[in-house]
Amino acid sequence: MTTGFSSGSCRFADYFVICGLDTASGLEPDELSGENFEQSPLRRTFKSKVLAHYPDNVEWNPFDQDAVGMLCMPKGLAFRTQVDSREPQFHSFIITREDGSRTYGFALTFFEEVTSKQICSAMQTLYHMHNAEQYDILHTPTSPPGPEVHRHQHSQTRPVLHAAPAISRLQRFNSYDISRDTLYVSKCICLITPMAFPQACRKVLKQLHQAVSSPQPPPLPLESFIYNILYEVPLPPSGRSLKFSGVYGPVVCQRPSTSELPLFDFSIGEMCNLLGVENVLQLFTCVLLEMQILLYSEHYQRLMTVAESITALMFPFQWQHVYVPILPASLLHFLDAPVPYLMGLQSNGQDDRTKLELPQEANLCFVDIDNHFIELPEELPQFPNKLEFIQEISEVLMSFGMSPEGNIHSRDSQVKYRSFRSVDMVSDKRNGNLASPLNSYLLRENETIARLQALVKRTGVTVLLSVIDASSNKDMRVQCDEEELKMHQINIHVREVFANRFTQMFADYEVFVIQPNQDKESWFTNRDQMQNFDKASFLSDQPEPYLPFLSRFLETQMFASFIDSKILCHDDEEKEHTLRVFDFRVDKVRMLNVRTPTLRTSLYQKCTNIEEAEKAIEMRVIKIDHTALHPHLLDMKIGQGRYEQGFFPRLQSDVLSTGPTSNKWTKRSAPAQWRRRDRQKQHAEHLYLDNDQREKYIQEARNLGTTIRQPKLSNLSPSVIAQTNWKFVEGLLKECRNKTKRMLVEKMGREAVELGHGEVSITGVEENTLIASLCDLLERIWSHGLQVKQGKSALWSHLLHYQESKEKTNATPGCLGPPGKERRKSDGGGSAMPPLKVSLIQDMRHIQNISEIKTDVGKARAWVRLSMEKKLLSRHLKQLLSEHELTKKLYKRYAFLRCDDEKEQFLYHLLSFNAVDYFCFTNVFTTIMIPYHVVVVPSKKLGGSMFTANPWVCVSGELAETGVLQVPRNTLEITFECQNLGKLTTVQMGHDNSGLYAKWLVECVVVRNEITGHTYKFPCGRWLGKGVDDGSLERILVGELMTPSTENDERMCRTPPMQQSPGMMRRFVTISPNSKPKLNTGQIQEGVGEAINGIVKHFHKPEKERGSLTLLLCGEYGLVWALEQVFLHGFKSPRLFKNIFIWDFLEKSQVYFESAEQREVTPDENWQTRVRHFCRFTRAINNTSRNIGKDGKFQMLVCLGARDHLLHHWIALLADCPITTQMFEDVALLKDRSLVNSLIRVLQTLQEFNITLEASLVKGVGI
């Protein structure tokens, strides 16, 4: 897309360039382009030179000789003989400057006969040498020849049997005999322009080439036409069309107005034809998510067309990273770049994809354009509304007679046929574009021609309908050729459909832009730390299916830059063109949508404004706004301007080096430009920044994550390559710093919220996204400077090498973990369980044993997630990189992993992840089998040595529960394997009451996940047995994650703190009723308020982020504990040696209510319903077959009451019940009317929530 073109230019073209063979310097092999010297000389590449360029220099666009030379002929010179095909080939290219601005180049490459005798004899000599070498190779038995050798065998050598067909087929083309053959060499003419008008430039160049290849001389000397396009043809003004003269016919170009989509003149239809709509959309998704994109094709123009088209469709976003649509052969090392890139690589048409050695593929989207094939990175999210979107684009293409699948079969035959015809028909005005079947007003009107056209399409041959000649046909209103108009129409249709998707998806984006509250200067200094967009709120409004894509898209550089430019531009005047157009469209959508802009729906809304956009284009073509000066004779000396047919001459530089001294349009546009500059200056002043500063800031903001847009095409000395790599190393480190910081802020943000500070700002999807992008960064770091690539994941490949080397040295698996001091300590109940060994290899084995993960990239990602969850990522990677010999063997000297300081800093950044808890492994691999280890810890004082019953446990987590597991009585621990339970929530434990002594005081149960090492402690502190405590044989224990305390880190660092640890344990309250601490009514009210508040907050979180509801109900200071305090307040102290429990009071109340019902003492119907509910629930709990004891029954009643929104009714009932008067003292909370009312009000807030109870809490109660 034409962003940031050089503003100094108002000329259509800045330079005219000729490249080719410099006969003076002779044949120089081009080593950099990496061609094989075993190839026959005609197939090798030789250095090309810029032979001439006019004018010498233009101040606003300095001539970059190296870049132009390299991109005009990316593979250097090519030689052919008379038997080869020598079709002229057109391609375009782009040069990106350091500041991100672009210049476009358009090149036509054709073949000219070599007239220099020296060059011809040099070629002959090369052939003699080549043949001699081939002969030697074939007759040397020791080294078997490679396939490359056989492919280019020469006719003089004795054929080897298995290579025979290749030889006979190629010897005709690959031999050169000076006496018999004519030698041709490639030459290129090129226009360098500030804006991209490929269609117009293609016509100009083809007509210039035709002028030298046709028998009749052109109407004027070539200099006249080139002078005309360099100095007398202006750029068309915005919203206008311009017509100027080529050698043989008019050329028309047009430029959209400031309210239309930006200028784009490549053919999107051709891209759809080459790839098919489905592939285009997949590629589009990869580009938006800033993957590494590698385009692959034999044709330079196809690379350019696909790259430019796909980035144009991203409107209003702009690609912010390395962009090299045509990667010259000498820059192949650039594929090693550990950053997002969009690059195009020319295939040689022979090798297939498997021969291509790419340094990194974990995050690569590989597009084989010629074979209609695309290879995608793993875990690519779907673009929102993908199917409807594909449908809409397909309908557009079909309305132009194109197939949405693309045109894979007949394409090459068509291309050959067209190019064959194009030589004879250069003078035909439609010659510029022979890309797709005609489709115009006339065709639609003339049925016979339409039928003919349909027939032609079926047979796969394109006929040029010379019947329709725009210049001769009087009715024809359009001033450019049909094909070109059709291309513009397809372009605008498809672009509008794509632009409409973003307009709909981001219709309310402005609401979420966070405007900085400090001045611009400090905003820029702290730009990396600043959040410029409220992502969490934006995502919470989006339909669920959009989230995987959107949450990753909001993390991209292109989105950040888009929002930055929004923040920097306060009013319409200052806005960049794209932003202004986009905002205008967004406003329109918002006006049309009556619904509130923030309520997003996933309803697909089609594009509605195609027609007006198409009309604007047609109007410009029907009525041409400007016509440039016609070419005219220049002031040339007699005899100048003559030329030899078939050879493009060196032109007269004296007449082409300077333009006319006075020119009406240069004069006119200059003041306008200055006026615009002044206006910008005024705005900038009121922002306290001058324009240059502002530009600099915008640029810096853009370059935050990236330092290089395009490799330096000029000097390729080792020092420059080293410098480029150094920039990459610095960029990777910076990206690592920003990523870790971003992840910690998000995670800490949530931890702070759970502790009651600030607002929640992260959603589960987003956390997953951040971790996925960290995995991508690690893959890029591990791919940088690899010696030899093995497998798709560089990180996993390194780990496997490490594993192999370790397993060789330690034949015994017991020594795998580091020695004893490396073991982790852990606290509390941990003494019951020896800690897991820290072992990188063991963690790898865990991943290798997971059958669900099939690919190397998947394994690497799983290993990173597991290491993060275990807080060992930095430590493991440090251990991996401490094998210096291995790192040296695998990586080149300049690789990131061999820059010691940067590597240390990188590991230090990763260490910061240990400050927070991630469950990124447990929550993602939900179906894998995981071993768990359970230990029951009996009380030390009243040990269970005499205990005779058989204990059992049942472990429940957020994802599943185990069922009843028998625990051996003598060891009290078991290890079992089951499907991932998720974060653990409760353990039910009990015994079968068998034997003489079936009473058991249990302190706690400890459960550990043997893969992640997460250890959960489930405190109990109660008896299990008949006739002791509350007579319970089983209890439901609620657990929390234990924090491993390492030697150097005694701080508590855990997220999320499931519940604060108890100041006083509810469990010991009932063991010795007389010693229980008394809470006053204020404290009790506060406790209830806090418990309810916790539940309300829980439901206000996004669903994926909610913790355990069981903890909020039954954990420390949960709802059950709070209501227990309510009932214990003022409860009359029992007689000696006999405990009275709250459940006793509730049972008595139930008996009273039932008898009251029978006596029909019924105040009203409401009362009856409440009483019925209360009695039904109490009866059901009493009748359960489970031996859960009186406190267990109370807990179950509270949970069921909360679930069915009955608690506040029951409190009201019990407060009025006569039993309360008997069992509670006068000061009791239940007897204070105002306190009871406020309690009822607080409990009523639970009514709006749909509380779902964990199965373990209500097992055995069928209500």
Side-chain angles (χ1 to χ4, degrees):
M1 253 168 74
T2 54
T3 47
F5 53 82
S6 25
S7 58
S9 171
C10 21
R11 307 193 324 207
F12 182 84
D14 288 339
Y15 296 99
F16 179 79
V17 186
I18 306 172
C19 296
L21 169 65
D22 183 0
T23 44
S25 60
L27 282 185
E28 288 184 75
D30 192 356
E31 293 98 345
L32 277 174
S33 65
E35 289 295 336
N36 197 326
F37 280 102
E38 290 170 346
Q39 294 205 337
S40 69
L42 274 181
R43 293 284 168 268
R44 292 179 198 166
T45 51
F46 298 92
K47 280 185 184 161
S48 63
K49 296 263 167 70
V50 174
L51 302 177
H53 61 94
Y54 315 99
D56 271 344
N57 206 25
V58 171
E59 55 177 304
W60 58 82
N61 181 7
F63 188 73
D64 186 341
Q65 178 129 350
D66 298 300
V68 172
M70 215 181 257
L71 290 166
C72 275
M73 304 183 104
K75 279 214 164 167
L77 296 172
F79 284 92
R80 299 277 189 273
T81 62
Q82 73 282 358
V83 294
D84 300 305
S85 86
R86 301 188 303 281
E87 275 313 314
Q89 293 289 333
F90 171 81
H91 78 272
S92 28
F93 58 84
I94 193 170
I95 297 173
T96 311
R97 292 195 207 76
E98 298 234 322
D99 63 355
S101 64
R102 295 174 171 185
T103 304
Y104 290 84
F106 301 97
L108 184 73
T109 309
F110 48 89
F111 284 88
E112 280 184 356
E113 190 178 329
V114 178
T115 49
S116 154
K117 288 281 176 286
Q118 290 97 318
I119 300 285
C120 291
S121 52
M123 184 58 81
Q124 179 79 65
T125 313
L126 283 172
Y127 257 102
H128 287 314
M129 287 160 65
H130 177 69
N131 295 343
E133 278 168 29
Q134 296 298 71
Y135 189 82
D136 289 350
I137 289 170
L138 288 181
H139 290 79
T140 314
T142 48
S143 61
E148 197 56 51
V149 179
H150 299 319
R151 206 160 57 229
H152 303 294
Q153 236 104 58
H154 193 262
S155 48
Q156 295 171 4
T157 52
R158 195 180 74 204
V160 177
L161 279 178
H162 64 264
I167 295 164
S168 57
R169 194 167 59 246
L170 280 171
Q171 62 196 13
R172 291 196 306 285
F173 298 117
N174 282 352
S175 61
Y176 171 64
D177 183 337
I178 198 164
S179 58
R180 183 189 68 208
D181 295 326
T182 315
L183 191 62
Y184 293 88
V185 67
S186 55
K187 190 177 222 174
C188 169
I189 52 176
C190 166
L191 282 172
I192 304 289
T193 65
M195 287 189 174
F197 290 105
Q199 310 308 328
C201 292
R202 181 196 299 236
K203 278 191 187 172
V204 171
L205 294 172
K206 284 206 168 177
Q207 294 187 20
L208 283 170
H209 173 247
Q210 190 205 344
V212 293
S213 51
S214 71
Q216 285 80 32
L220 290 168
L222 291 178
E223 282 84 352
S224 294
F225 297 105
I226 289 164
Y227 183 89
N228 180 253
I229 193 137
L230 284 178
Y231 300 112
E232 296 172 334
V233 177
L235 280 172
S238 289
R240 301 298 173 88
S241 50
L242 169 77
K243 185 179 192 170
F244 60 93
S245 309
V247 183
Y248 295 108
V251 180
V252 173
C253 58
Q254 55 165 316
R255 191 169 154 193
S257 71
T258 48
S259 60
E260 295 172 63
L261 291 176
L263 169 67
F264 181 75
D265 199 40
F266 291 83
S267 169
I268 291 176
E270 188 185 345
M271 174 178 70
C272 297
N273 230 348
L274 289 167
L275 294 176
V277 176
E278 171 99 35
N279 284 342
V280 166
L281 196 55
Q282 297 283 38
L283 169 60
F284 184 63
T285 310
C286 291
V287 175
L288 288 172
L289 297 180
E290 298 184 334
M291 309 280 187
Q292 289 175 321
I293 316 285
L294 185 61
L295 308 174
Y296 192 61
S297 168
E298 215 178 326
H299 308 278
Y300 296 125
Q301 186 55 17
R302 286 184 181 176
L303 295 172
M304 190 71 182
T305 300
V306 172
E308 283 288 284
S309 300
I310 209 77
T311 47
L313 293 176
M314 284 159 48
F315 171 88
F317 305 102
Q318 289 165 17
W319 180 258
Q320 298 292 326
H321 301 275
V322 175
Y323 182 71
V324 192
I326 296 173
L327 186 66
S330 49
L331 286 176
L332 284 184
H333 64 273
F334 220 74
L335 289 171
D336 199 9
V339 290
Y341 58 67
L342 202 167
M343 298 204 229
L345 188 60
Q346 193 212 17
S347 66
N348 58 14
Q350 296 159 329
D351 293 351
D352 60 352
R353 157 83 175 93
T354 51
K355 299 258 173 58
L356 200 58
E357 280 276 306
L358 297 173
Q360 53 206 54
E361 293 180 37
N363 201 21
L364 181 76
C365 169
F366 179 83
V367 186
D368 187 342
I369 299 173
D370 302 338
N371 296 317
H372 206 84
F373 164 74
I374 181 166
E375 216 174 276
L376 297 168
E378 290 179 30
E379 296 178 23
L380 184 71
Q382 274 214 356
F383 191 78
N385 291 114
K386 182 179 164 189
L387 295 176
E388 296 97 320
F389 193 20
I390 287 181
Q391 176 68 30
E392 189 178 3
I393 305 164
S394 304
E395 283 167 13
V396 167
L397 294 178
M398 276 148 55
S399 71
F400 285 97
M402 289 173 64
S403 154
E405 281 78 49
N407 191 354
I408 188 165
H409 304 300
S410 58
R411 192 177 61 241
D412 285 304
S413 55
Q414 279 189 18
V415 170
K416 288 191 183 86
Y417 180 77
R418 286 180 202 138
S419 50
F420 164 70
R421 290 288 313 232
S422 65
V423 187
D424 318 348
M425 302 204 52
V426 173
S427 56
D428 186 290
K429 288 178 39 204
R430 274 186 303 284
N431 150 270
N433 286 315
L434 301 172
S436 45
L438 299 178
N439 180 4
S440 68
Y441 303 115
L442 286 182
L443 281 184
R444 289 176 205 155
E445 287 158 19
N446 188 328
E447 280 185 73
T448 340
I449 298 184
R451 279 207 297 279
L452 180 77
Q453 187 71 8
L455 175 74
V456 162
K457 235 172 88 182
R458 281 204 300 281
T459 54
V461 178
T462 302
V463 179
L464 293 165
L465 299 170
S466 38
V467 194
I468 308 171
D469 192 335
S471 56
S472 66
N473 195 312
K474 293 284 169 279
D475 309 343
M476 188 60 187
R477 299 162 300 169
V478 178
Q479 300 274 323
C480 71
D481 45 4
E482 328 271 311
E483 276 301 306
E484 204 170 318
L485 177 63
K486 178 183 170 184
M487 184 208 83
H488 285 307
Q489 289 169 331
I490 294 175
N491 275 6
I492 201 67
H493 277 243
V494 176
R495 289 177 73 199
E496 285 291 352
V497 169
F498 273 81
N500 175 56
R501 283 289 11 92
F502 284 125
T503 318
Q504 301 286 350
M505 277 158 66
F506 292 98
D508 48 357
Y509 85 99
E510 287 181 62
V511 183
F512 301 99
V513 173
I514 301 170
Q515 289 295 347
N517 48 10
Q518 70 269 66
D519 62 286
K520 289 272 183 281
E521 191 70 53
S522 46
W523 181 74
F524 274 107
T525 347
N526 306 313
R527 179 62 201 86
D528 332 19
Q529 288 98 33
M530 302 295 298
Q531 284 288 4
N532 62 4
F533 192 74
D534 183 356
K535 295 172 184 167
S537 308
F538 177 79
L539 288 172
S540 64
D541 279 352
Q542 302 300 317
E544 184 77 22
Y546 289 14
L547 294 178
F549 170 80
L550 279 177
S551 59
R552 283 177 68 173
F553 180 62
L554 298 190
E555 293 301 320
T556 58
Q557 187 70 37
M558 71 177 77
F559 186 76
S561 297
F562 173 73
I563 300 296
D564 281 350
S565 64
K566 177 74 181 168
I567 289 173
L568 285 171
C569 305
H570 288 295
D571 54 20
D572 275 2
E573 284 293 333
E574 293 171 2
K575 284 183 188 173
E576 288 181 14
H577 175 209
T578 40
L579 184 63
R580 195 165 53 238
V581 175
F582 185 68
D583 281 354
F584 175 72
R585 287 162 172 248
V586 159
D587 294 342
K588 219 157 119 186
V589 167
R590 297 240 294 268
M591 277 160 59
L592 290 172
N593 285 355
V594 191
R595 58 195 175 74
T596 32
T598 40
L599 286 177
R600 313 294 294 139
T601 72
S602 48
L603 195 67
Y604 189 81
Q605 288 166 317
K606 279 190 164 184
C607 182
T608 51
N609 53 342
I610 292 180
E611 262 146 41
E612 56 186 285
E614 188 179 21
K615 203 182 212 112
I617 288 178
E618 286 168 11
M619 289 309 292
R620 284 196 287 271
V621 183
I622 289 168
K623 179 182 168 295
I624 298 290
D625 299 298
H626 300 277
T627 305
L629 281 176
H630 282 286
H632 48 87
L633 271 171
L634 299 172
D635 185 10
M636 289 165 71
K637 299 187 184 71
I638 295 174
Q640 285 190 332
R642 313 259 299 274
Y643 72 98
E644 204 182 329
Q645 187 202 337
F647 293 93
F648 202 93
R650 284 274 174 114
L651 302 166
Q652 303 304 319
S653 55
D654 51 350
V655 293
L656 290 177
S657 58
T658 49
T661 42
S662 79
N663 193 322
K664 62 179 202 294
W665 53 265
T666 42
K667 265 197 188 137
R668 195 182 61 233
S669 57
Q673 240 172 328
W674 290 114
R675 281 201 302 275
R676 194 168 70 247
R677 286 259 168 92
D678 291 341
R679 209 167 53 231
Q680 283 185 337
K681 220 180 186 123
Q682 287 164 3
H683 285 304
E685 277 161 8
H686 95 186
L687 276 176
Y688 317 114
L689 295 177
D690 70 27
N691 218 24
D692 294 343
Q693 262 185 309
R694 193 155 155 272
E695 272 308 305
K696 188 187 94 192
Y697 281 150
I698 289 186
Q699 210 41 56
E700 276 174 13
R702 287 215 179 116
N703 288 345
L704 260 183
T706 116
T707 43
I708 297 179
R709 295 291 184 89
Q710 180 170 14
K712 272 234 177 325
L713 298 176
S714 40
N715 172 2
L716 284 173
S717 63
S719 64
V720 170
I721 292 176
Q723 194 184 348
T724 305
N725 274 305
W726 184 242
K727 273 191 167 172
F728 283 148
V729 168
E730 285 183 320
L732 285 170
L733 188 61
K734 187 173 183 181
E735 195 180 340
C736 175
R737 185 178 66 238
N738 290 342
K739 277 218 163 65
T740 45
K741 189 165 188 177
R742 164 103 171 82
M743 289 169 76
L744 287 171
V745 166
E746 291 291 11
K747 203 64 172 153
M748 297 293 214
R750 185 173 66 183
E751 184 167 46
V753 169
E754 301 221 336
L755 295 171
H757 313 293
E759 281 304 305
V760 71
S761 71
I762 186 167
T763 66
V765 177
E766 211 170 330
E767 175 172 308
N768 234 344
T769 302
L770 293 174
I771 287 168
S773 80
L774 175 74
C775 293
D776 293 342
L777 173 65
L778 292 177
E779 282 294 357
R780 293 211 305 274
I781 288 176
W782 256 257
S783 305
H784 185 235
L786 255 185
Q787 296 274 18
V788 181
K789 191 179 145 293
Q790 297 168 322
K792 280 202 169 180
S793 164
L795 174 57
W796 189 248
S797 161
H798 192 167
L799 285 165
L800 288 173
H801 281 291
Y802 176 83
Q803 188 180 25
E804 196 182 325
S805 71
K806 282 293 174 217
E807 283 173 352
K808 273 181 193 158
T809 48
N810 311 347
T812 51
C815 326
L816 284 175
K821 75 176 177 58
E822 289 279 322
R823 290 186 166 197
R824 286 215 175 158
K825 287 191 206 157
S826 86
D827 61 350
S831 52
M833 203 178 274
L836 277 179
K837 273 185 184 172
V838 175
S839 159
L840 187 160
I841 305 253
Q842 193 52 50
D843 285 350
M844 281 185 69
R845 290 212 186 113
H846 286 315
I847 302 300
Q848 287 161 326
N849 293 338
I850 298 175
S851 57
E852 286 90 335
I853 306 175
K854 306 277 190 281
T855 63
D856 285 358
V857 176
K859 286 174 183 161
R861 287 185 171 183
W863 182 85
V864 170
R865 285 171 176 278
L866 177 59
S867 306
M868 279 188 75
E869 188 158 323
K870 294 178 87 162
K871 303 190 179 186
L872 292 173
L873 183 60
S874 180
R875 183 168 169 176
H876 276 348
L877 292 177
K878 188 174 184 175
Q879 195 178 335
L880 176 68
L881 296 171
S882 62
E883 293 285 312
H884 298 298
E885 286 311 307
L886 179 61
T887 314
K888 270 186 193 160
K889 191 177 95 183
L890 296 178
Y891 289 91
K892 296 175 185 149
R893 181 64 202 93
Y894 65 76
F896 182 92
L897 297 178
R898 289 186 63 187
C899 301
D900 292 339
D901 291 354
E902 282 66 29
K903 186 175 72 182
E904 282 306 310
Q905 287 184 53
F906 157 71
L907 292 170
Y908 178 73
H909 288 312
L910 293 185
L911 190 61
S912 58
F913 286 135
N914 292 7
V916 293
D917 280 345
Y918 278 102
F919 288 90
C920 49
F921 180 83
T922 306
N923 289 344
V924 169
F925 299 101
T926 52
T927 57
I928 61 174
M929 297 301 284
I930 289 187
Y932 291 91
H933 186 65
V934 180
V935 177
V936 181
V937 184
S939 159
K940 290 188 184 70
K941 292 192 204 98
L942 306 160
S945 50
M946 300 164 0
F947 178 59
T948 55
N950 300 303
W952 55 266
V953 295
C954 167
V955 184
S956 304
E958 288 180 356
L959 299 173
E961 71 167 33
T962 57
V964 170
L965 302 163
Q966 296 300 328
V967 182
R969 192 170 58 223
N970 47 0
T971 60
L972 293 184
E973 58 182 290
I974 52 165
T975 302
F976 61 92
E977 193 176 59
C978 69
Q979 191 168 320
N980 185 353
L981 299 172
K983 290 184 203 168
L984 302 187
T985 49
T986 60
V987 164
Q988 301 157 61
M989 67 164 304
H991 61 76
D992 62 359
N993 201 28
S994 58
L996 294 170
Y997 190 73
K999 296 183 176 65
W1000 194 26
L1001 180 59
V1002 176
E1003 192 176 304
C1004 66
V1005 177
V1006 182
V1007 184
R1008 182 173 67 204
N1009 176 325
E1010 294 292 275
I1011 291 183
T1012 65
H1014 281 318
T1015 307
Y1016 294 82
K1017 186 177 182 181
F1018 297 85
C1020 176
R1022 305 282 297 265
W1023 284 91
L1024 285 93
K1026 292 280 187 203
V1028 60
D1029 200 336
D1030 65 347
S1032 168
L1033 292 186
E1034 63 176 273
R1035 295 200 183 278
I1036 300 167
L1037 311 178
V1038 181
E1040 64 178 321
L1041 185 64
M1042 284 163 56
T1043 312
S1045 61
T1046 46
E1047 296 88 331
N1048 55 359
D1049 181 16
E1050 291 299 331
R1051 285 174 303 117
M1052 294 291 272
C1053 53
R1054 101 194 114 128
T1055 318
M1058 299 266 200
Q1059 283 284 326
Q1060 296 112 9
S1061 39
M1064 60 151 250
M1065 289 192 71
R1066 144 187 170 227
R1067 309 211 144 87
F1068 293 113
V1069 171
T1070 351
I1071 290 180
S1072 49
N1074 299 327
S1075 65
K1076 59 185 170 219
K1078 295 271 192 290
L1079 295 183
N1080 62 34
T1081 52
Q1083 290 168 319
I1084 293 172
Q1085 277 183 297
E1086 198 178 321
V1088 175
E1090 284 297 312
I1092 299 286
N1093 211 2
I1095 296 172
V1096 172
K1097 278 185 179 172
H1098 169 89
F1099 282 102
H1100 280 296
K1101 285 184 192 174
E1103 200 161 332
K1104 288 215 165 52
E1105 272 314 298
R1106 295 175 183 172
S1108 163
L1109 186 59
T1110 307
L1111 271 168
L1112 297 173
L1113 293 170
C1114 314
E1116 303 305 344
Y1117 300 135
L1119 184 63
V1120 173
W1121 171 86
L1123 289 178
E1124 195 169 277
Q1125 302 314 306
V1126 169
F1127 285 107
L1128 286 174
H1129 187 258
F1131 205 41
K1132 285 187 177 163
S1133 49
R1135 295 191 300 275
L1136 213 54
F1137 306 125
K1138 184 172 188 309
N1139 279 349
I1140 296 184
F1141 294 87
I1142 299 171
W1143 189 250
D1144 298 328
F1145 159 67
L1146 296 173
E1147 279 185 318
K1148 284 187 178 171
S1149 305
Q1150 178 208 343
V1151 172
Y1152 165 78
F1153 288 135
E1154 284 174 340
S1155 64
E1157 261 197 306
Q1158 283 156 7
R1159 293 199 308 276
E1160 292 178 0
V1161 186
T1162 52
D1164 61 10
E1165 221 168 289
N1166 263 348
W1167 186 86
Q1168 280 182 312
T1169 322
R1170 290 171 192 178
V1171 162
R1172 258 183 237 125
H1173 279 309
F1174 177 75
C1175 298
R1176 189 170 118 242
F1177 277 81
T1178 332
R1179 267 200 308 275
I1181 291 169
N1182 260 331
N1183 297 338
T1184 174
S1185 54
R1186 290 170 71 186
N1187 291 302
I1188 50 174
K1190 291 178 177 175
D1191 278 350
K1193 289 175 182 176
F1194 174 71
Q1195 174 171 299
M1196 198 182 273
L1197 184 69
V1198 172
C1199 290
L1200 289 169
R1203 182 192 74 183
D1204 294 352
H1205 308 130
L1206 297 170
L1207 287 177
H1208 56 287
H1209 294 321
W1210 294 347
I1211 294 284
L1213 273 183
L1214 293 167
D1216 292 340
C1217 177
I1219 307 294
T1220 310
T1221 327
Q1222 297 167 17
M1223 297 185 73
F1224 283 85
E1225 290 161 12
D1226 290 346
V1227 292
L1229 188 151
L1230 276 180
K1231 288 187 175 178
D1232 183 322
R1233 180 51 60 196
S1234 65
L1235 290 181
V1236 169
N1237 284 343
S1238 73
L1239 176 64
I1240 290 172
R1241 276 198 302 280
V1242 171
L1243 287 171
Q1244 277 172 331
T1245 52
L1246 291 182
Q1247 278 184 282
E1248 56 186 288
F1249 304 117
N1250 183 13
I1251 294 176
T1252 313
L1253 298 178
E1254 209 176 297
S1256 58
L1257 295 179
V1258 290
K1259 220 183 248 174
V1261 177
I1263 296 183

